[in-house]
Amino acid sequence: MGARNTARPGWSLPAAARGGDWPGRPAGLPDTRTKNRCDTPELEQGWMSETEELNTAPDALQSDEPSLGDASGWIMPPDGVRIWLDDLHRLCVSAGDETFEGVRPRYAFPLSSKCDYISFLGEEGKEVLLLSHPRKLDGESRQALRTALERTYYTAKILQVYDIKEAMGVAQWRVRTNRGFATFEIVDRNQHIRSLPSERYLLMDADGNRFEIEDLSRLDAHSQAEVHHET
Amino acid sequence: MPAQEDIPGFTASPIAGPVTADLPDDVRMWLSEALAEGEAVHACLLADILPSGDFGERWSFLTNRRLLVLAPDADPRRAQAVIDLPLEQITEARQEKYVASSALIVAAGDRGHEIARFSLAAQHEAADLAYYINEIVKQRGEGKTFEEVQRPVTKRPGHRCSTCGRALSRWSEVCIHCVDRRQILVRLFGYLMPFKWMALLGLCLTFTITGLQLMPPYLTKVLIDDVITPGNVGLLPVVVGLLIGVNVSAAVISIFRSYIMQWVGQRVLFSLRVKLFRHLQLLRLRFYTTRQTGRIMSRVSSDLGRLQYFIAEGFQEAVVNIATMILIAAILLGLNWRLFLLALAPTPIIVISTLIFGHRMHMMYHRIWRRSAGLQAILADTIPGIRVVKAFAQEERESANFEKSSQDLFRQEMGAIKISSAFFPFLHIQTTLGSILIFGIGGYMVMNGTTTVGTLVAFTSYLWRFYGPIQQFGRMNHRLQHCVTSAERVFEILDSDPEPLLNSGKRLTPLRGEVEFKGVRFSYEPGKYALDDITFSVAPGEMIGLVGPSGAGKSTLVHLIARFFEVEEGEILIDGVDVLDLDLKWFRQQIGVVLQEPYLFHGPVWSNIAYAKPGATADEVLVAAKAANAHEFIVGLPDGYDTVIGERGQTLSGGERQRISIARAVLCNPKILILDEATASVDTETESVIQAALERLVENRTTFAIAHRLSTLRKANRLVVLERSKLIEIGSHDELVSKEDGLYARLCSLQSEMHKMKAI
């Protein structure tokens, strides 16, 4: 690490950003500031397919069997819902006669079927609207929501793991992501490396920043070995 | 991770402004071009995510004139201003917190500008920058100048090393990169010093045993070459006697040596254990709130055990191994230097393979340990929840879960077994091949007459003893690492700042019980105030009800009074004296605390009541129990006041435990009383009994009572309403209820509606 970097705060990501100063960075790797950009992040992948949507329809409500109750009126269908970013960079949502400004979108199931239900939280963290099937929103709303969600769930995808060095329970990962090179620290493997189905891993660094390995089996053999050693 | 001591946030000294001194050279260069004459930087923020979402850097500077954002150009010597907002146009700053990143938005007129997007590493600096900007805007409205606004000082987050900024391990406050490992070992031996003579005696005995154990091969040589071969019958009993004597002496001395070293180890362990526990008692509450109890306990047990091994055995093992190796090398050299050089051939392979094996096994065992811990977690989850499992008929699923984890553990265990099964035979074959080589060449030498049979036998015998310490050294490194790690963990506790319990401070006699909060601010984590600018005063004997939603800061407020934590800004005055200036031990004795979940210790009822006053008389215990409405149920217990309360008082009901804890608070006759949700977890009938006890208890004592059920605060003289870390209302019940749009009035009306519903 160059001397200049030692004066920067929160250096795990900034260090990566200033690619040239990155310690032990393999020679010839591309400059982060211009490459490795992912223009269509996780949202498209997470958007549910029609088949999956059908599976979530509550058929039981039609029968004589005891039901969970009527979700209409609480879970808002996309018809008539409008979402936009105002001039003050606030996300706004309107449904019927009501408009909510400065809301925060949250996936109800961010890791499983992330795009099925989206909750909008107001200032005090109270839900103001629970939206279903956001894929059916109008184009403008969908774009605004996608931008907001992309920010909310900002997670760099790991494409290559150079090495993982552990000292006294703190593992330092040096990786290449779709956002650039990064060095980050994981302080508790048990809590901060979450293994998900299909060789998917979600990692949280010492500061709470998130990284994801979408499919470990698709990474190179060295990266796989490093991750297997660590998990 | 780099050093953060010169974070360019808010912590530097002025050159062209209060923060520029610590900026990197290129950024200073950009600034020198961008700043106007007389313009000074007062705060800055490095953002590490570009608007596109890629990692990159942007610098935001708050000067006495504007908010300037610079982005590096393709030419690193240059940067371009991407945002340039005059201060007078700024109306608000806010931090948008996302799941794993954040952004700073500044409003100027009707437009919002995203000043910075950053990872969570920079969120504290950003929070303070937002706070600073908002203060400037607010105080500008009050006619104050920029310079009059106080800059907040960003605290370094507790999970990073205060020296180098690297992340600290979950269970450690010590940064392994900043700690001198040699110093740790030196310090460790410091604990051996009180027993140095015994340790020295043990060492001498160890050397004696080693020396004795080196003799048999030589005596064997003498037996073969000088007794058996020439048929010297007269010398036979002498040599055999010597062989017996040497082996018996070694065994007898071993007994003494083992006892002495165990004694030394246990003594060191004893003194460290006692010192550690005593220190744990004195540590600040913050130490415990940031760590898992199990991990702290493991330091007192397993970490100390490792230290004991090293002090008693490990160190001596190392010294003896070195000495043995040198001695045997000298003997082998003396016996036959050619064979000795030959014997060294497998040594590098043994050393290297032992090191590699040690490292691999270390990794494997870590993985096994993690899986094993996972299995334990499943057990800890499922067994206590067995009723739920059965109620929802999920036995099969839980069994399948357990089987899956068990299989994973099995695979890892087998991986380790595969390596260790292969390694030891591999090592054995190395040393055996070395010996066979020696036998081959040595045998040829015997036949040539260049050496004797006795020398060859002695040589091979010594050779086995030579390879042993070499192998042990490979393992010793691993053990040493473990020991240093354990020592660090133990010393971390011993080095953590204790509360100033033993320091002298002021004692106010008599204590009247007046409490005053003056601009108190406190945060558990930087950038997020748990209490923000709290100011109010309480008269002696007054009862204050603390009201507000969860997370408003009520418990934090009472914790600050009891000085479980210390205020960051402002002060708390007790009878006009800063709480920090008081004798802490004395002050805590003046405070009685009744918590929502009363904690009782294993032991008789009476000792739990007398916990705060160990010398209390039976009369005092009875009076306290009576006042707490606890006496009747206690005498109804089979052993009355001598009934042993199980671990954490689990043999009693919640209401009974609470009444004992109230009796405990009554007995110490506190001047200041803290009731933290004292009746929250009991049924209505029990509540009325406890409430009656509390009403007696609060008389003539300054009382702070937290309660969600507002009816329990009906006796409070005044109510302090907190919301989102701020004091928003203060006054009597009648005063606050009359404020129609007030939070207290709203809460009251909600609760009365609920009561009505319950009544229906």
Side-chain angles (χ1 to χ4, degrees):
Chain A
M1 181 81 54
R4 55 183 287 165
N5 280 354
T6 62
R8 314 264 161 111
W11 204 240
S12 49
L13 289 177
R18 294 185 78 115
D21 297 331
W22 191 59
R25 178 184 170 203
L29 287 172
D31 186 341
T32 341
R33 280 169 282 192
T34 52
K35 301 205 174 165
N36 295 320
R37 184 176 297 177
C38 176
D39 292 321
T40 52
E42 64 274 12
L43 297 178
E44 284 298 343
Q45 296 160 20
W47 240 220
M48 266 192 130
S49 70
E50 289 291 341
T51 325
E52 284 170 317
E53 277 174 38
L54 288 173
N55 289 341
T56 60
D59 293 337
L61 297 179
Q62 308 293 324
S63 71
D64 293 334
E65 296 294 313
S67 76
L68 298 173
D70 189 2
S72 63
W74 172 48
I75 302 176
M76 187 69 73
D79 322 315
V81 174
R82 227 168 60 75
I83 300 165
W84 71 97
L85 268 172
D86 72 4
D87 288 341
L88 289 168
H89 278 268
R90 296 178 308 177
L91 188 71
C92 307
V93 57
S94 72
D97 298 336
E98 283 190 293
T99 298
F100 305 100
E101 292 171 340
V103 294
R104 286 175 288 137
R106 289 281 191 272
Y107 287 120
F109 307 98
L111 299 177
S112 41
S113 52
K114 57 162 72 169
C115 300
D116 220 16
Y117 299 97
I118 289 169
S119 172
F120 293 89
L121 307 178
E123 261 191 23
E124 291 170 28
K126 284 180 188 160
E127 183 178 82
V128 295
L129 188 97
L130 179 63
L131 175 74
S132 68
H133 307 119
R135 203 171 48 81
K136 293 178 182 169
L137 285 168
D138 66 84
E140 202 180 317
S141 298
R142 198 174 141 169
Q143 183 56 42
L145 179 60
R146 180 175 303 179
T147 307
L149 286 170
E150 185 197 323
R151 283 170 163 257
T152 303
Y153 293 95
Y154 180 80
T155 305
K157 309 276 188 286
I158 293 175
L159 306 174
Q160 192 177 358
V161 180
Y162 295 117
D163 56 37
I164 304 167
K165 286 183 183 156
E166 196 243 301
M168 290 276 289
V170 178
Q172 190 184 57
W173 291 53
R174 293 195 311 141
V175 298
R176 180 167 65 86
T177 76
N178 65 332
R179 299 299 189 182
F181 298 100
T183 301
F184 60 89
E185 294 149 311
I186 290 185
V187 293
D188 188 335
R189 288 188 191 87
N190 292 330
Q191 282 190 26
H192 296 154
I193 302 181
R194 190 165 166 193
S195 168
L196 298 164
S198 309
E199 296 247 32
R200 187 177 164 207
Y201 289 88
L202 190 69
L203 299 96
M204 206 197 303
D205 79 359
D207 295 305
N209 300 306
R210 288 181 175 210
F211 296 84
E212 185 182 350
I213 299 172
E214 283 185 318
D215 184 350
L216 183 63
S217 64
R218 287 191 183 177
L219 300 193
D220 60 279
H222 173 75
S223 300
Q224 287 189 37
E226 287 285 333
V227 176
H228 276 310
H229 253 304
E230 196 58 18
T231 52
Chain B
M1 285 294 293
Q4 290 198 346
E5 58 204 356
D6 27 31
I7 286 175
F10 297 92
T11 52
S13 55
I15 288 184
V19 298
T20 51
D22 296 313
L23 294 175
D25 289 342
D26 55 350
V27 179
R28 286 162 66 94
M29 197 159 65
W30 304 339
L31 269 180
S32 64
E33 286 182 16
L35 297 184
E37 186 72 28
E39 193 174 11
V41 175
H42 285 255
C44 82
L45 175 71
L46 167 59
D48 48 17
I49 301 174
L50 300 177
S52 65
D54 288 343
F55 300 150
E57 67 176 77
R58 278 188 168 197
W59 291 82
S60 306
F61 299 99
L62 182 73
T63 77
N64 49 346
R65 296 181 189 173
R66 57 185 165 155
L67 184 60
L68 179 68
V69 180
L70 296 180
D73 221 349
D75 176 0
R77 290 167 302 177
R78 307 184 70 83
Q80 49 177 309
V82 286
I83 294 174
D84 190 347
L85 291 173
L87 271 187
E88 56 275 13
Q89 285 184 17
I90 296 175
T91 51
E92 189 201 7
R94 70 175 197 275
Q95 189 184 355
E96 289 280 343
K97 290 186 177 177
Y98 308 123
V99 170
S101 64
S102 215
L104 182 66
I105 312 288
V106 167
D110 294 336
R111 279 204 60 201
H113 301 267
E114 186 180 84
I115 297 299
R117 222 182 134 185
F118 42 87
S119 70
L120 299 182
Q123 62 175 327
H124 307 307
E125 284 82 13
D128 280 338
L129 180 57
Y131 179 83
Y132 190 23
I133 293 172
N134 286 331
E135 280 297 299
I136 290 166
V137 172
K138 187 176 134 195
Q139 296 192 28
R140 186 175 61 206
E142 295 165 5
K144 289 188 182 167
T145 63
F146 178 89
E147 283 73 19
E148 285 177 278
V149 182
Q150 200 182 359
R151 243 167 10 117
V153 178
T154 304
K155 284 204 307 182
R156 190 189 309 278
H159 66 273
R160 293 200 169 272
C161 170
S162 57
T163 309
C164 72
R166 289 184 176 94
L168 296 174
S169 151
R170 274 248 137 165
W171 33 259
S172 180
E173 272 183 358
V174 176
C175 175
I176 52 152
H177 303 280
C178 298
V179 76
D180 184 348
R181 295 195 154 206
R182 285 165 305 179
Q183 280 300 317
I184 286 179
L185 287 177
V186 169
R187 195 170 161 192
L188 202 53
F189 283 117
Y191 287 92
L192 202 59
M193 289 316 281
F195 319 106
K196 56 180 178 290
W197 297 118
M198 288 298 267
L200 213 58
L201 178 63
L203 194 64
C204 289
L205 292 178
T206 308
F207 277 121
T208 311
I209 295 165
T210 310
L212 286 172
Q213 283 171 343
L214 291 178
M215 284 176 73
Y218 186 77
L219 289 172
T220 312
K221 173 192 175 297
V222 173
L223 190 69
I224 294 169
D225 290 346
D226 303 334
V227 180
I228 298 171
T229 310
N232 191 343
V233 180
L235 207 56
L236 185 65
V238 177
V239 177
V240 170
L242 269 174
L243 271 169
I244 294 169
V246 163
N247 281 302
V248 169
S249 306
V252 171
I253 296 170
S254 273
I255 296 169
F256 283 109
R257 182 231 164 229
S258 174
Y259 176 80
I260 287 167
M261 291 322 295
Q262 286 297 326
W263 183 87
V264 170
Q266 291 295 341
R267 283 298 305 186
V268 172
L269 187 64
F270 167 77
S271 53
L272 255 175
R273 193 189 287 135
V274 170
K275 189 170 179 181
L276 194 63
F277 187 78
R278 189 166 290 161
H279 200 80
L280 277 169
Q281 297 295 309
L282 298 176
L283 287 179
R284 291 164 200 273
L285 204 58
R286 200 184 275 265
F287 181 89
Y288 293 94
T289 55
T290 52
R291 285 165 182 79
Q292 290 177 344
T293 315
R295 293 189 191 263
I296 297 172
M297 284 162 72
S298 88
R299 296 189 204 191
V300 187
S301 50
S302 54
D303 283 331
L304 278 181
R306 277 190 197 145
L307 294 189
Q308 185 225 350
Y309 158 76
F310 186 76
I311 291 165
E313 299 286 334
F315 171 67
Q316 291 212 8
E317 224 171 74
V319 173
V320 168
N321 278 342
I322 293 170
T324 309
M325 273 201 313
I326 293 169
L327 267 173
I328 294 181
I331 292 169
L332 290 176
L333 209 59
L335 285 173
N336 191 315
W337 67 270
R338 288 184 190 87
L339 286 179
F340 174 65
L341 288 181
L342 209 62
L344 286 180
T347 309
I349 303 173
I350 294 171
V351 171
I352 292 168
S353 58
T354 308
L355 283 174
I356 293 171
F357 169 77
H359 178 70
R360 289 207 66 181
M361 286 310 288
H362 178 65
M363 303 288 287
M364 296 289 282
Y365 281 131
H366 259 285
R367 296 176 74 183
I368 289 169
W369 181 83
R370 284 201 292 274
R371 265 118 191 117
S372 179
L375 215 59
Q376 298 277 343
I378 293 178
L379 282 175
D381 225 24
T382 323
I383 303 298
I386 194 71
R387 282 186 184 84
V388 181
V389 175
K390 284 187 178 299
F392 291 99
Q394 294 298 315
E395 293 92 338
E396 286 296 322
R397 192 175 75 169
E398 294 301 340
S399 298
N401 262 348
F402 189 79
E403 190 180 332
K404 193 174 162 232
S405 292
S406 289
Q407 264 178 354
D408 199 11
L409 176 64
F410 172 75
R411 271 198 299 275
Q412 297 299 332
E413 293 266 25
M414 287 315 294
I417 288 169
K418 212 190 289 177
I419 294 177
S420 61
S421 305
F423 177 71
F424 289 108
F426 169 75
L427 208 63
H428 183 71
I429 203 84
Q430 294 295 321
T431 47
T432 309
L433 282 175
S435 301
I436 292 170
L437 200 68
I438 297 296
F439 266 122
I441 310 252
Y444 182 72
M445 285 177 165
V446 171
M447 285 185 265
N448 264 354
T450 47
T451 192
T452 64
V453 177
T455 305
L456 183 60
V457 170
F459 197 96
T460 48
S461 190
Y462 278 122
L463 197 59
W464 282 108
R465 285 159 205 252
F466 181 67
Y467 290 143
I470 292 173
Q471 289 176 27
Q472 279 188 15
F473 260 109
R475 293 179 207 136
M476 186 136 265
N477 177 48
H478 185 204
R479 281 179 173 176
L480 183 70
Q481 292 297 325
H482 266 286
C483 170
V484 171
T485 307
S486 291
E488 279 170 357
R489 294 184 206 185
V490 170
F491 290 146
E492 180 213 324
I493 294 182
L494 292 176
D495 292 343
S496 294
D497 238 4
E499 285 184 314
L501 264 182
L502 304 174
N503 293 357
S504 57
K506 288 179 190 165
R507 292 182 179 207
L508 308 172
T509 42
L511 180 71
R512 290 183 293 117
E514 185 189 351
V515 180
E516 187 179 3
F517 277 70
K518 281 173 85 174
V520 169
R521 273 211 179 103
F522 177 80
S523 62
Y524 292 103
E525 50 183 286
K528 191 178 172 189
Y529 286 116
L531 282 180
D532 188 3
D533 200 15
I534 303 292
T535 301
F536 69 100
S537 60
V538 181
E542 194 176 9
M543 182 180 176
I544 297 291
L546 294 166
V547 182
S550 297
K554 306 183 293 292
S555 291
T556 304
L557 190 139
V558 292
H559 284 164
L560 289 182
I561 296 171
R563 225 181 123 182
F564 290 150
F565 302 100
E566 289 174 3
V567 295
E568 285 162 12
E569 286 176 48
E571 52 187 0
I572 298 172
L573 305 175
I574 307 291
D575 287 358
V577 178
D578 192 333
V579 73
L580 300 180
D581 295 334
L582 295 175
D583 178 330
L584 184 56
K585 190 173 179 182
W586 167 84
F587 180 59
R588 291 251 174 92
Q589 284 167 347
Q590 313 306 313
I591 296 177
V593 182
V594 181
L595 302 169
Q596 180 180 355
E597 288 295 332
Y599 194 99
L600 302 182
F601 295 97
H602 181 83
V605 171
W606 68 263
S607 74
N608 267 286
I609 295 176
Y611 187 75
K613 195 178 176 186
T617 62
D619 282 3
E620 286 174 317
V621 172
L622 287 168
V623 169
K626 186 76 180 166
N629 280 349
H631 175 72
E632 279 170 27
F633 92 80
I634 294 171
V635 289
L637 295 170
D639 295 325
Y641 281 84
D642 290 324
T643 304
V644 172
I645 295 170
E647 197 178 333
R648 298 184 186 189
Q650 281 166 355
T651 51
L652 303 174
S653 74
E656 289 168 343
R657 285 202 296 274
Q658 190 60 286
R659 278 179 276 169
I660 290 181
S661 84
I662 292 169
R664 186 164 64 188
V666 171
L667 189 60
C668 72
N669 196 20
K671 201 69 196 169
I672 297 170
L673 187 63
I674 292 169
L675 308 174
D676 191 352
E677 295 276 7
T679 58
S681 54
V682 293
D683 56 76
T684 316
E685 200 178 331
T686 313
E687 185 193 352
S688 66
V689 179
I690 294 175
Q691 199 61 39
L694 288 176
E695 281 170 18
R696 277 197 290 275
L697 184 57
V698 301
E699 275 173 29
N700 300 320
R701 304 180 209 276
T702 308
T703 304
F704 293 86
I706 300 174
H708 277 113
R709 264 181 258 176
L710 301 179
S711 57
T712 58
L713 298 177
R714 61 181 181 270
K715 296 273 179 180
N717 301 99
R718 280 187 302 158
L719 296 149
V720 168
V721 186
L722 296 171
E723 190 182 31
R724 285 195 246 164
S725 316
K726 287 185 182 287
L727 192 159
I728 54 163
E729 291 169 23
I730 185 165
S732 67
H733 170 81
D734 293 339
E735 286 167 358
L736 296 182
V737 163
S738 63
K739 287 185 182 174
E740 280 179 14
D741 54 345
L743 176 64
Y744 183 76
R746 214 163 61 233
L747 289 172
C748 275
S749 111
L750 273 173
Q751 288 204 355
S752 67
E753 276 174 33
M754 278 176 68
H755 283 306
K756 276 180 205 162
M757 283 167 71
K758 278 182 188 170
I760 292 165

